[in-house]
Every structure is written in C-alpha cells, then in structure tokens.
Amino acid sequence: MKTLNCAGKSLTFDRTLVMGVLNITPDSFYESSRYQSLDQVLSTAEQMVRDGVDILDVGGESTRPGADGTVSSEQELERVVPVVEALRTNFDQVVSVDTSSALVISEASKAGAGMINDVRALLRPGALEAAAATSLPVVLMHSLVEQPETGFVPQYDDVVSKVNEYLLQRVSACETAGITRDRLILDPGFGGGMFGKTPAHDLQLLKHLDRVLALNFPVLAGMSRKSFIGAVLNKPAEQRLSASLAVATLAARAGAQIIRVHDVAETVDAVRMVDAVRNA
Ligand code: PT1
C-alpha cells in the first residue's frame, strides 16, 4: 500500500482521502468558503477535523473564474504562513499549501506544511527548485493558467490524452529537478475556462478518469461546486452540494485517491460508502 511522508505525518492510500478547502482569500468563487480572520479559519478547520478530513488545503491566491490573480508572493505569504503554523500546532492532519510561488513553497514548508499543491504544476520561476528542496509530496495539476491568453479554451482532439501528456512532461521536469516520482500526485484540473477546459471537457475527464489513473500515480480530483456542475444543472454554487457528492462518488469509484472539497462531512460519508462497496 502506497504511503506518502508529509513532513513526518503519513498518508496511506488504503481508503479514499478527503482534502478540505480552506480559502484565506477574500474572493473565493464559493461565498461560504471565504474566510477573513485566523479564528474563523481555525474554527472551520476544527469542524472539518471532527467531520473526518485527512488533509487541510490552505490557499491564499484565488484561481476562481474572474478573480484577479495579482496577489503578490509577499501578500500570499502574509496570509498563508500564520495559518499553516496554527493548523500544524492545533491539528494532526496534514496541511497542504495551495500555491504556485517559490517563496510561499519554501516558507510554508518551514512553517510545517506537509504537502505542496500547485495548479501551475511548478511552472512558475523557482518553484521546481523550491519544491525539490522541501522533500514534500507535490500535487501537479493540469491547467493552461500560465498560457499567454488565460481564458482561451483550446479545442482538444482528446482532452484526456492532452492532460496526460502534460502531466507526464511535468513529472519529467520534476525528476530532472530531483523530485522523485514517489512524491508526486497528479490532478487533471477540473475547472472549466479557468483551467483551460469547457464543461464538456470536465465531464469527459471525469468519465475517463481511469485513463489518468492508468499513469500509475495517486490522483486528486477537485470538482466541488465547480461551474461544470452549474453548466449541467443550471444552479448557482450554493445549490451544488448533492451534485458535488455525485461527482465525488464517481471519482472515488474510479479510484481517485484524494477528493478536494468544501463539504467535508457529506463527502466523507459518500467516499466511506464507496470504500465499503469496494471492500465488500
Ligand atoms: C483543483 C483546484 C485546486 N481547484 C487542485 N487544486 C481550485 N489540486 C484550487 C469553477 O469552474 O481542482 N485541484 N485549487 C479552485 N479553482 C476553481 C476553478 C474553482 C474553477 C472553481 C472553478 O467554478
């Protein structure tokens, strides 16, 4: 059974793991996941822990559709580091840091983070080297956020092939930089235009998640309340919980090892049932 060493805490993939989203941005796409004070973040984290969360994912830069991505590394650092320290002190769960910044990677690691989660797959200057120096596990996500025209949606011949090709290129870059394969988790990057896909692409990626899993790395799926659900149901983010549980269930059933969500209690129940059926 594969186990990851996350700064002294271990994560074992013997059941589906749930990652809880802790936004410390004032402008997250899902209003009730926006936090301001450290106290608010800690009380949300405490509830997630009671609800069975495995990983607490701290993000200080919003990648939501329409957010202005102009948060400086210093500003991000100011938001993220105190939260990482407080979570590490108060809880046993692995703390993951959702960042693309080399500076934030280094400082969050010093503050006790156990995992790096980068929607830009360590493409920003210095990020590969900073991550290599930490010895932490890294989530590499597919997106086109570093392309010159963000928001441009490509016509994929086969979106799954393109995503897999990109992820394997980033795996190679990591290996060259000294990040061994056993530290890597792959994520196809559900998220519509923000991550270079249409809702149809997101649906194809979920339908064919087995092909991403066939690359033989642990897979993380982050679909909670995202716009492709809205595109199918024509409902706002506030009314996408049931559908988020449906897609989390499908991803867990396909074998995704980590599900990234806002609604921990409900998702833990859903994936526990998937695991129970798998083990029956
Ligand atoms: C994700 C992810 C993430 N998503 C990982 N990290 C976000 N590893 C932040 C929408 O379409 O999937 N995997 N960090 C949040 N980004 C988005 C993108 C939120 C699109 C919402 C949408 O609504």
Side-chain angles (χ1 to χ4, degrees):
M1 191 59 64
K2 185 165 168 114
T3 295
L4 288 179
N5 180 0
C6 306
K9 294 170 186 174
S10 66
L11 284 180
T12 303
F13 299 121
D14 54 353
R15 58 185 173 77
T16 309
L17 303 180
V18 173
M19 172 185 271
V21 178
L22 286 175
N23 283 315
I24 46 175
T25 55
D27 58 351
S28 168
F29 81 101
Y30 174 44
E31 201 174 337
S32 43
S33 82
R34 296 172 201 170
Y35 306 106
Q36 261 95 41
S37 72
L38 184 60
D39 273 4
Q40 275 177 287
V41 180
L42 285 178
S43 78
T44 304
E46 190 178 19
Q47 186 61 51
M48 286 181 173
V49 168
R50 277 199 291 267
D51 292 339
V53 81
D54 298 291
I55 305 163
L56 296 163
D57 190 42
V58 180
E61 185 214 11
S62 182
T63 48
R64 84 179 160 108
D68 71 6
T70 53
V71 179
S72 72
S73 286
E74 287 74 19
Q75 200 178 350
E76 206 188 323
L77 206 60
E78 229 168 78
R79 291 176 179 175
V80 167
V81 168
V83 174
V84 170
E85 274 169 355
L87 294 174
R88 199 262 315 249
T89 310
N90 287 281
F91 308 108
D92 289 332
Q93 279 66 20
V94 170
V95 178
S96 140
V97 59
D98 188 346
T99 189
S100 301
S101 148
L103 181 65
V104 176
I105 289 170
S106 304
E107 295 302 312
S109 165
K110 287 181 207 159
M115 181 180 286
I116 297 156
N117 172 26
D118 187 5
V119 301
R120 296 179 183 82
L122 305 179
L123 274 167
R124 285 255 170 106
L128 263 177
E129 295 74 15
T134 66
S135 83
L136 297 176
V138 178
V139 179
L140 298 173
M141 197 197 82
H142 172 272
S143 81
L144 301 177
V145 283
E146 285 301 79
Q147 299 298 302
E149 307 165 69
T150 299
F152 161 81
V153 176
Q155 309 286 304
Y156 299 98
D157 207 27
D158 172 0
V159 67
V160 188
S161 297
K162 276 287 180 216
V163 164
N164 280 352
E165 197 179 295
Y166 173 95
L167 290 173
L168 289 177
Q169 277 171 15
R170 298 312 299 152
V171 167
S172 293
C174 283
E175 287 189 298
T176 304
I179 305 173
T180 49
R181 297 171 82 86
D182 60 318
R183 285 168 60 189
L184 299 175
I185 297 161
L186 303 184
D187 180 343
F190 296 94
M194 202 57 219
F195 293 157
K197 284 128 193 149
T198 62
H201 292 139
D202 286 333
L203 294 170
Q204 284 169 31
L205 282 164
L206 178 54
K207 179 177 180 180
H208 299 292
L209 199 63
D210 57 319
R211 291 177 53 202
V212 182
L213 282 149
L215 299 178
N216 259 305
F217 289 84
V219 167
L220 184 154
M223 302 177 289
S224 186
R225 298 183 183 262
K226 282 185 178 175
S227 56
F228 77 100
I229 296 173
V232 172
L233 299 181
N234 195 27
K235 288 182 172 179
E238 290 67 31
Q239 292 167 33
R240 296 176 192 164
L241 172 58
S242 307
S244 295
L245 296 173
V247 295
T249 301
L250 289 169
R253 178 61 177 149
Q257 284 83 353
I258 305 175
I259 312 291
R260 182 182 182 275
V261 297
H262 303 92
D263 307 280
V264 170
E266 294 87 348
T267 308
V268 165
D269 281 354
V271 303
R272 288 291 164 277
M273 289 309 299
V274 173
D275 293 344
V277 170
R278 178 177 296 125
N279 296 327

